[in-house]
Amino acid sequence: MEWEFTAEDVVKAQAAYLLEDFRRDLMEEVRMNLGESDELQLTRSFNLLYDMCYALATGRSLDDFLKPYAYDPPTCEFLQKLQPLMAANVEMLGAILQRMIMYGVEAGMPLETAVDEAASRHQQVVAAGT
């Protein structure tokens, strides 16, 4: 994806780009790239790519992320090929997550509480499918 602002702008709160916005835009990117896929394939592809971006944005290695998919070499190969193409998305998602934590810190929460609140908010957004 391309934006008219940077990940640093998001971290510094100079651009309002929320997790919901990122997920919507990623879904559109997946939809454009998959073309005439059915909704189930679209949803599965989106979830897989989002999960990879989230894992990488939160400091996991691609190898660690791929371990549960070891039984499925085509999926591993697919994700390995896409990882370099997703670098900007990973960076932006990391910035969004960092900003979520910073909102809590700026509101007076201890860092650990702000991290927990951001993680909880992330789970809510993902569970809601937004």
Side-chain angles (χ1 to χ4, degrees):
M1 293 183 285
E2 293 184 23
W3 303 272
E4 295 180 4
F5 48 87
T6 67
E8 186 176 334
D9 292 337
V10 171
V11 171
K12 292 180 176 180
Q14 295 171 346
Y17 191 61
L18 305 175
L19 183 59
E20 294 88 346
D21 301 325
F22 176 85
R23 288 177 55 85
R24 179 200 62 231
D25 292 347
L26 182 61
M27 176 60 96
E28 286 307 310
E29 182 175 279
V30 171
R31 186 182 313 277
M32 286 184 337
N33 287 315
L34 286 182
E36 296 296 319
S37 294
D38 62 45
E39 284 300 312
L40 181 59
Q41 181 63 35
L42 176 67
T43 300
R44 286 180 175 170
S45 297
F46 166 79
N47 287 336
L48 184 62
L49 290 172
Y50 179 80
D51 288 348
M52 181 181 74
C53 286
Y54 181 79
L56 297 174
T58 56
R60 286 182 59 201
S61 71
L62 183 61
D63 288 339
D64 283 345
F65 177 73
L66 293 177
K67 283 180 184 175
Y69 301 100
Y71 69 92
D72 186 0
T75 296
C76 291
E77 187 177 316
F78 171 73
L79 291 171
Q80 287 168 333
K81 287 182 179 178
L82 282 181
Q83 182 204 5
L85 302 174
M86 300 298 285
N89 292 343
V90 169
E91 180 184 17
M92 187 59 73
L93 180 55
I96 292 166
L97 297 171
Q98 186 176 352
R99 170 71 351 228
M100 290 169 67
I101 294 166
M102 290 174 69
Y103 282 136
V105 170
E106 290 165 356
M109 291 180 195
L111 179 58
E112 186 175 314
T113 303
V115 169
D116 290 344
E117 287 292 320
S120 177
R121 176 73 181 126
H122 176 263
Q123 289 174 343
Q124 291 170 356
V125 169
V126 170
T130 55

